[in-house]
Amino acid sequence: MDKLDNLRHSTSHLLAAAVTSLWPEAKPTLGPPIENGFYYDFADLKISEEDLPKIEAKMKQIVKTWNGFEKIEVSTVEAKKMFKDNHFKIELIEEIEKSGEKITLYESGKFIDLCRGGHIDKPSQKIKYFKLLSIAGAYWRGNEKNPMLTRIYGTVFPSKKKLDDYLFRLAEAKKRDHRKLGKELGFFIIPDEVGPGLLIWTPKGATIRREIEKFIVQEQIKRGYQHVYSPHIGRKSLWVTSGHWDLYKDKMYAPMKIDKEDYLVKPMNCPMHMMVYKSALHSYRDLPVRIAENATVYRYEKTGELSGMVRVRYITQDDSHIFCREDQVIDEFIGVLDYIIYLLRVFGIKNYYFRLSLRDPKNKDKYLGSDKVWYQAEEKIEAAVRKLNLSYQKVEGEAAFYGPKLDVMVKDALDREWQCGTIQVDFMLPERFQLEYIDKKGKPARPVLIHRAPLGSIERWVGLLIEHYAGNFPVWLSPIQVAVLPITERNLEYAQNITNNLINQEIRAVTDDRRETLQAKIRDAQLAKTPYMLVVGDKEEKDGTVSKRDRKGKDYGLLKIDDFILALKKEINEKTLG
Ligand SMILES: [Zn+2]
Ligand SMILES: [Zn+2]
């Protein structure tokens, strides 16, 4: 355990001491340090979050008497006697006994707990900056057949500043939560009538998605990709050939019968692009062939794991398959990396790294292909990443079943990590689908396949963006770019003309024609996170001008509408982050 873990773990002892002092019937069970804090699970404890301040106060009082954690070694018999009223601890004692380990207790002040150790010294001085955060139900040892316990979460830091920073980020994360903010802003709905995890993009969210898709299609065309459309269902045999049916079945929906034959809703798009490649003859000179599609695929996720836009039962991938010669793999891979880095910059993501996901060496039967092919693919990926001098981490067990992959790990404005896009090198599917090209000697040869989806899922990506931008989308992505606000009813026609002018120039504008005060209109446009507001009254109407404001409350004063449009178009074209 590192120092911070020791501090967290020590504080969980303190929490248990306070809880048992306030509620003597409560039975402490386990209290480990976790990422960003600690928890402790109690049996026979019925409390609510309103009790947390009382527990904190007790902790502050008790910790003054704690000078250290004193280790006491006891026999099993003694330990069982001490915890005779707590069958959870008895269960732990019996496990320790079986493992042959010594049973140790730690005493701090008047509180004694069964524990393996890992504490700080001088708790009375060091446990100062803590906070209890929430209460949740948790099954004993995470098993739903076991009794439900009361879990208290808390956090602790070595300094006030660090604690305050963390609490600020926590509060900010709550405010930015895309499930809350995305609904408030009217970006999506997940109606129960449709089904869990089946989200509908409402007009504003659909606008964001359409702008992203337009942008990536155009950008990919510049980079030599050819776009296609393919069906959402296909014969089951397609995914039998690809190996998905054998190795990916638990994520797939059951087949449906069409003309007495099994069809599947597609869980992955790969076989469709294999068909595109196969539909023409290719010579070595034609390669690489880059087929792209914003393709919606359907995957089963457990109900309990569904979450807003980031875990849904269908995802739209910015999918592409690059068919190339073996001598082109590294350059193609580098081309994809270059594109990914460009995309991240456009979206204002500064903090990211790459993760090289490899096979689980203990479970090779979960993957296709020989060791040789796997090492070959891994080598190509590493060569490409090294050529660009990118840092990466290696992780075992996260590969696709047909090959190793490089995952894009993004950190958002609050420093939280999101797994997004991925690039994979695949020698397997070209073999299984019998893909060919004619090599220099006029003989048939196998291409290598690169699967890539830089954003991963567009649903997840927009969820991330909502939280990253806190809803303040840059102008190019904002569902409404300009709100025109007439001061009085007299100015409504002038306002409407301006809005029409903007719409004709492909700017997303609306007139707020409600009988509200100007203040209310400005406030509502700001709440909707509309980048610009144009206020128009008698003076503006007479001069043929507008008064420009932004969502941060800045007032730019009067300007000519044409000047406004010119500047706005520049901002949109440059995809300025704002
Ligand atoms: Zn301990
Ligand atoms: Zn694929």
Side-chain angles (χ1 to χ4, degrees):
M1 283 207 268
D2 67 14
K3 266 192 191 156
L4 193 54
D5 274 349
N6 287 345
L7 175 63
R8 286 167 173 168
H9 171 68
S10 302
T11 313
S12 81
H13 276 256
L14 181 60
L15 168 60
V19 167
T20 49
S21 150
L22 290 165
W23 293 276
E25 70 284 3
K27 295 185 180 64
T29 65
L30 279 170
I34 50 171
E35 199 190 352
N36 295 322
F38 60 87
Y39 67 78
Y40 212 119
D41 286 347
F42 299 90
D44 300 328
L45 178 66
K46 293 267 172 301
I47 54 165
S48 73
E49 301 209 341
E50 274 133 49
D51 293 308
L52 296 180
K54 192 160 84 185
I55 304 172
E56 275 174 13
K58 195 70 180 172
M59 288 166 75
K60 287 198 170 123
Q61 193 191 336
I62 292 175
V63 76
K64 288 184 195 149
T65 66
W66 284 20
N67 300 316
F69 286 86
E70 201 180 321
K71 183 174 173 181
I72 311 167
E73 273 183 34
V74 289
S75 68
T76 317
V77 180
E78 282 170 299
K80 280 189 177 168
K81 209 166 127 196
M82 278 194 72
F83 292 99
K84 64 178 187 315
D85 298 328
N86 186 335
H87 65 91
F88 301 97
K89 293 281 186 196
I90 300 280
E91 194 179 316
L92 296 173
I93 292 166
E94 282 167 354
E95 271 170 35
I96 302 170
E97 186 183 16
K98 247 186 233 157
S99 75
E101 247 183 281
K102 283 207 171 114
I103 294 174
T104 54
L105 310 177
Y106 279 83
E107 183 173 18
S108 38
K110 284 187 201 137
F111 183 73
I112 299 179
D113 205 351
L114 175 74
C115 175
R116 284 200 174 84
H119 306 107
I120 48 154
D121 58 357
K122 303 194 188 99
S124 60
Q125 289 167 39
K126 290 186 182 165
I127 306 182
K128 272 193 158 152
Y129 308 108
F130 61 85
K131 176 108 190 122
L132 299 182
L133 300 170
S134 60
I135 292 180
Y139 293 107
W140 169 239
R141 315 217 103 173
N143 186 337
E144 57 198 71
K145 287 183 192 126
N146 289 338
M148 175 75 91
L149 307 172
T150 299
R151 174 171 295 180
I152 302 176
Y153 284 103
T155 193
V156 60
F157 285 90
S159 72
K160 181 166 182 342
K161 187 176 178 316
K162 283 193 173 146
L163 175 65
D164 289 347
D165 281 354
Y166 177 71
L167 294 177
F168 171 78
R169 277 195 287 140
L170 212 61
E172 197 55 32
K174 238 185 212 170
K175 260 195 272 169
R176 291 174 181 226
D177 188 332
H178 78 278
R179 290 167 297 185
K180 183 172 162 278
L181 195 52
K183 263 189 204 133
E184 283 166 10
L185 295 171
F187 290 169
F188 68 92
I189 51 172
I190 307 178
D192 195 47
E193 293 90 328
V194 180
L198 297 171
L199 86 91
I200 297 179
W201 294 83
T202 42
K204 286 183 179 168
T207 303
I208 296 173
R209 172 172 163 177
R210 188 169 56 247
E211 288 304 319
I212 291 176
E213 291 190 359
K214 253 162 57 182
F215 161 59
I216 57 184
V217 168
Q218 283 310 319
E219 187 56 35
Q220 291 181 148
I221 289 170
K222 288 183 203 161
R223 291 170 187 259
Y225 289 83
Q226 305 178 73
H227 285 260
V228 300
Y229 295 104
S230 64
H232 291 215
I233 63 170
R235 283 186 211 274
K236 179 183 149 192
S237 51
L238 271 181
W239 289 279
V240 172
T241 306
S242 70
H244 289 97
W245 183 251
D246 280 340
L247 293 162
Y248 199 73
K249 211 196 245 150
D250 53 348
K251 286 269 182 192
M252 293 164 62
Y253 295 104
M256 65 186 104
K257 287 265 188 252
I258 299 177
D259 296 340
K260 291 184 186 157
E261 226 189 300
D262 277 345
Y263 280 71
L264 289 171
V265 173
K266 65 182 172 188
M268 291 236 186
N269 198 41
C270 322
M272 299 293 175
H273 292 181
M274 309 290 133
M275 296 301 122
V276 178
Y277 180 85
K278 257 189 134 164
S279 66
L281 277 177
H282 302 277
S283 107
Y284 68 96
R285 273 179 273 119
D286 306 332
L287 300 185
V289 171
R290 309 181 186 99
I291 305 297
E293 179 179 7
N294 295 326
T296 300
V297 295
Y298 300 81
R299 295 173 185 179
Y300 174 71
E301 300 280 353
K302 288 189 190 128
T303 314
E305 281 165 14
L306 297 170
S307 171
M309 310 183 90
V310 307
R311 238 170 225 281
V312 284
R313 283 186 170 160
Y314 76 86
I315 60 170
T316 309
Q317 293 181 306
D318 53 336
D319 195 25
S320 171
H321 293 89
I322 300 172
F323 304 87
C324 64
R325 303 188 308 260
E326 210 181 314
D327 64 289
Q328 294 172 318
V329 176
I330 295 176
D331 282 344
E332 282 305 304
F333 206 92
I334 287 174
V336 175
L337 281 170
D338 179 73
Y339 172 54
I340 290 177
I341 291 165
Y342 168 74
L343 280 182
L344 294 173
R345 199 174 65 228
V346 169
F347 287 105
I349 306 276
K350 296 192 188 89
N351 217 337
Y352 56 87
Y353 68 94
F354 295 95
R355 187 179 76 184
L356 178 53
S357 299
L358 305 170
R359 267 185 313 180
D360 176 357
K362 286 182 216 99
N363 274 311
K364 287 186 182 171
D365 54 334
K366 277 166 62 192
Y367 306 89
L368 301 175
S370 67
D371 286 351
K372 187 177 151 245
V373 169
W374 275 80
Y375 294 135
Q376 213 178 344
E378 192 182 322
E379 211 176 281
K380 298 267 189 214
I381 296 178
E382 286 200 274
V385 179
R386 277 207 215 99
K387 241 182 169 171
L388 289 184
N389 252 327
L390 299 171
S391 63
Y392 63 98
Q393 286 177 11
K394 278 194 193 188
V395 183
E396 281 176 350
E398 295 285 329
F401 66 80
Y402 45 79
K405 61 188 178 115
L406 194 72
D407 297 317
V408 189
M409 308 298 288
V410 163
K411 282 195 173 179
D412 70 8
L414 298 180
D415 220 26
R416 293 166 305 169
E417 204 168 279
W418 302 65
Q419 184 185 336
C420 292
T422 155
I423 327 173
Q424 299 156 6
V425 174
D426 178 5
F427 289 86
M428 243 69 80
L429 294 198
E431 188 73 36
R432 293 186 145 230
F433 281 92
Q434 301 282 300
L435 304 184
E436 285 177 358
Y437 68 90
I438 303 302
D439 71 10
K440 264 184 191 157
K441 293 174 196 141
K443 295 235 171 65
R446 260 309 160 248
V448 182
L449 176 58
I450 296 174
H451 309 246
R452 44 114 285 186
L455 301 181
S457 137
I458 295 179
E459 287 73 18
R460 186 183 177 76
W461 186 255
V462 171
L464 178 149
L465 289 184
I466 293 172
E467 300 197 8
H468 182 65
Y469 298 140
N472 293 300
F473 277 74
V475 182
W476 75 278
L477 287 174
S478 287
I480 294 170
Q481 294 166 318
V482 182
V484 182
L485 315 179
I487 297 177
T488 68
E489 211 132 318
R490 283 195 302 284
N491 314 115
L492 189 56
E493 199 186 325
Y494 179 62
Q496 210 80 57
N497 287 340
I498 288 182
T499 301
N500 291 340
N501 182 0
L502 292 167
I503 292 171
N504 282 330
Q505 306 211 41
E506 296 183 6
I507 291 163
R508 296 186 290 274
V510 293
T511 307
D512 187 344
D513 57 5
R514 296 174 305 159
R515 293 185 172 200
E516 291 281 353
T517 60
L518 179 63
Q519 284 322 311
K521 289 179 183 178
I522 291 174
R523 190 197 56 220
D524 288 348
Q526 282 175 332
L527 281 176
K529 319 245 182 213
T530 307
Y532 294 112
M533 287 141 249
L534 299 180
V535 177
V536 293
D538 293 341
K539 183 172 171 13
E540 287 83 358
E541 189 165 348
K542 191 166 136 271
D543 302 344
T545 55
V546 293
S547 285
K548 172 181 160 184
R549 298 178 63 96
D550 72 14
R551 60 189 160 197
K552 290 178 207 138
K554 190 172 169 195
D555 189 344
Y556 297 76
L558 289 176
L559 70 167
K560 288 221 165 63
I561 186 70
D562 288 346
D563 293 341
F564 170 73
I565 292 175
L566 210 66
L568 185 68
K569 282 196 164 170
K570 186 165 178 279
E571 198 178 335
I572 293 170
N573 285 335
E574 289 173 357
K575 302 193 165 49
T576 311
L577 286 164

